[in-house]
């Protein structure tokens, strides 16, 4: 294996050193936003520049950024396909909280324990290391990942950091306004805290207009915003409050399981859900509590605002995003997932560049394949491409929990040069069997990711 070139780390260390040296001659150049004196920041900077305190690698080290559905599966299956790999999973969160089934949790159909799992259990049960840290960037020349706990060397790097919100695409450009909007009306598609806030909101809502939206573009979990509208309506119905759910869809029609959701909106929640297709959000008045679309303005008493999304900014900041990608996804080989020209760096899960459905099941089946690709690369072998599988349950009613589902695969169309849906099995009739199947599916997935 080639010895990594140390130039980049030197550059990174020199930059830090220069900053500290600059401090020795005073902080005249510091702006009003800088620490009062850079000396005060020195211990923090040293922390960033040192080597992270983790066990020394006992084999080729694979560093995985992001312990979501993709990263957790990747870590487990890398060890399975090549036990000689030293696998390190890094996540900024202290615990895993599942988004799949979280809509059922909002309506009290499962407990928080059902959704929450320990990264330590996953690592201990499957023979890899876990480090709680925020990844700040990486250098491909030196093969190093920089975190708020110090840097880590890698032989292979897997980027599975999920998605970020792109508020500019609903007309909210100012970073302070974006932050305020995120905290006040979280979309509930990126962090566990958002889910806790949303649950409190819907259980305390006193009545009036409650606004939800469906983003446009290739957003995370196509069915989830429609499912969420049903679960919020189910809670309002159970609480017998006078509330109207304004479901602003930025698309021209329901994007998936259309007949099933349309029937649920009408038959179960006719008094609650007002479905508004082609509602392209162009601005949000956070203080005034209203949303602007091309032709209308909608006042709300409370809201869940889910903006369009993009790939993790780690990708753009590293200068590896594809200039033609609307979501700033990386330029990767569509079959092998590595960066074009660099078989040491892979991008998987919802940050991937391929147009596969952004789902946990998709990420899980894909990660098993990519783990095999990386293991094969280390042995100078190849594996045949195989499609990820997407499986998605959508709850529409509670007591009993009733759900519908879809399973699909993908194939590459040589003529168009695009991926398209392949075999698909769609069940749009929602029933309690579907509800039970959704919970059994999730339990099986957690068992696979967290146990051996
Ligand atoms: C309400 C809802 C319902 C859903 N329902 C379903 C469903 O029924 N079926 C289904 O298949 N999918 C469903 N999904 C989609 C599913 O949750 C995602 O597709 C899946 O989580 C994607 O996995 P991922 O690993 O790519 O990203 P994530 O699971 O988001 O994991 C990314 C991880 O990276 C970490 N991270 C990010 N940046 C950094 C950094 N700089 N440093 C360190 N760590 C970092 C994050 O903390 C996070 O843990 C649903 C999603 C939502 C929100």
């Amino acid at each position: 294996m080639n010895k990594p070139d140390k130039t980049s780390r030197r550059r990174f260390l020199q930059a830090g050193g220069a900053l500290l040296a600059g401090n020795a001659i005073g902080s005249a150049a510091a702006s009003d936003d800088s620490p009062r004196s850079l000396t005060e920041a020195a211990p923090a900077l040293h922390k960033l520049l040192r080597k992270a305190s983790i066990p020394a690698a006992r084999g080729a080290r694979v560093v995985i950024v992001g312990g979501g559905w993709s990263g957790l599966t990747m870590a487990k299956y890398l060890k399975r396909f090549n036990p000689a790999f030293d696998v390190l999973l890094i996540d900024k969160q202290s615990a895993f909280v599942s988004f799949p089934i979280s809509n059922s949790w909002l309506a009290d159909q499962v407990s928080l324990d059902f959704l929450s799992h320990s990264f330590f259990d996953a690592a201990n049960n499957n023979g890899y290391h876990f480090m709680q840290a925020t990844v700040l960037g990486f250098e491909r020349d030196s093969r190093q990942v920089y975190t708020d706990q110090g840097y880590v060397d890698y032989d292979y790097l897997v980027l599975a950091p999920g998605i970020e919100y792109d508020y500019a695409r609903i007309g909210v450009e100012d970073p302070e306004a974006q932050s305020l909007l995120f905290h006040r009306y979280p979309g509930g598609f990126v962090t566990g805290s958002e889910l806790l806030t949303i649950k409190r909101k819907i259980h305390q809502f006193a009545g009036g207009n409650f606004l939800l939206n469906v983003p446009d573009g290739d957003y995370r979990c196509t069915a989830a915003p429609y499912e969420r509208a049903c679960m919020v309506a189910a809670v309002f119905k159970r609480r017998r409050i006078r509330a109207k759910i304004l479901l602003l869809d930025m698309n021209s029609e329901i994007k998936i399981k259309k007949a099933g959701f349309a029937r649920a909106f009408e038959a179960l929640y006719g008094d609650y859900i007002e479905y508004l297709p082609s509602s392209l959000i162009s601005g949000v008045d956070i203080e005034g509590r209203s949303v602007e679309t091309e032709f209308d303005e909608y006042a709300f008493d409370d809201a869940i605002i889910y903006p369009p999304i993009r790939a993790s900014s780690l990708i753009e900041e590293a200068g590896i995003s594809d200039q033609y990608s609307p979501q700033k996804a990386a330029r990767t080989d569509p079959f092998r997932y590595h960066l074009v020209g660099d078989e040491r760096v892979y991008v998987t899960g919802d940050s991937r560049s391929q147009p596969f459905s952004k789902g946990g099941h998709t990420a899980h089946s894909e990660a098993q394949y990519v783990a095999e690709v990386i293991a094969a690369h280390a042995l100078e072998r190849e594996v045949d491409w195989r499609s990820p599988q997407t499986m998605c349950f959508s709850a529409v009613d509670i007591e009993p929990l009733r759900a519908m589902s879809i399973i699909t695969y993908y194939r590459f169309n040589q003529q168009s040069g695009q991926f398209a849906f392949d075999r698909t099995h769609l069940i749009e009739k929602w029933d309690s069997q579907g509800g039970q199947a959704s919970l059994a599916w999730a339990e099986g997935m957690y068992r696979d990711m967290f146990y051996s």
Side-chain angles (χ1 to χ4, degrees), residues 61-279:
R61 172 157 277 166
V62 189
V63 175
I64 303 165
V65 179
W69 287 66
S70 181
L72 282 159
T73 312
M74 180 70 65
K76 171 174 177 162
Y77 282 89
L78 279 167
K79 284 299 286 183
R80 181 167 289 185
F81 292 129
N82 186 350
F85 275 154
D86 187 285
V87 176
L88 174 69
L89 178 68
I90 306 179
D91 201 288
K92 57 187 174 186
Q93 315 285 340
S94 58
F96 170 92
V97 178
S98 172
F99 287 110
I101 310 298
S102 67
N103 285 329
S104 298
W105 166 77
L106 291 177
D108 307 310
Q109 302 306 291
V110 293
S111 70
L112 192 55
D113 277 358
F114 186 86
L115 303 181
S116 320
H117 301 272
S118 159
F119 286 123
F120 300 160
D121 287 348
N124 292 336
N125 288 332
N126 292 293
Y128 59 85
H129 306 288
F130 171 71
M131 176 176 160
Q132 188 188 347
T134 298
V135 171
L136 306 170
F138 54 92
E139 278 275 353
R140 290 192 293 134
D141 293 348
S142 59
R143 293 200 197 131
Q144 281 169 332
V145 176
Y146 301 110
T147 83
D148 60 352
Q149 304 296 315
Y151 71 88
V152 179
D153 297 314
Y154 71 82
D155 293 291
Y156 290 96
L157 175 62
V158 179
L159 300 169
I163 59 154
E164 289 177 15
Y165 295 132
D166 193 349
Y167 284 105
R169 284 174 54 198
I170 52 169
V172 182
E173 311 258 355
D174 172 48
E176 273 186 42
Q178 292 180 353
S179 171
L180 189 63
L181 182 54
F182 172 61
H183 288 97
R184 234 178 248 182
Y185 303 110
F189 276 78
V190 177
T191 65
S193 278
E194 293 173 66
L195 293 178
L196 294 169
T197 293
I198 288 172
K199 184 155 187 173
R200 181 192 50 71
K201 278 171 182 262
I202 64 175
H203 284 260
Q204 291 179 358
F205 191 57
N209 283 349
F210 196 99
L211 186 142
L212 281 103
N213 75 293
V214 186
D216 57 4
D218 184 12
Y219 62 87
R220 171 172 274 184
C221 195
T222 319
Y226 304 104
E227 178 191 51
R228 185 171 284 165
C230 291
M231 290 296 99
V232 174
V235 172
F236 290 170
K237 193 173 163 182
R238 187 177 60 196
R239 293 182 55 221
R240 295 174 200 274
I241 57 170
R242 286 169 67 87
K244 177 67 72 191
I245 294 169
L246 301 173
L247 180 57
L248 269 58
D249 195 337
M250 294 175 71
N251 306 284
S252 56
E253 58 180 7
I254 297 173
K255 278 189 79 174
I256 192 166
K257 300 170 187 159
K258 186 178 165 193
F261 279 121
R263 194 161 62 86
F265 292 169
E266 201 186 311
L268 301 172
Y269 309 116
D271 293 340
Y272 287 90
I273 295 178
E274 189 174 339
Y275 176 67
L276 299 153
S278 302
S279 300

Side-chain angles (χ1 to χ4, degrees), residues 408-423:
T408 193
Y409 289 87
Y410 305 86
R411 76 187 137 72
F412 188 72
N413 184 324
Q414 295 289 353
Q415 271 178 338
S416 66
Q418 309 275 339
F419 286 98
F421 288 118
D422 199 4
R423 294 152 286 151

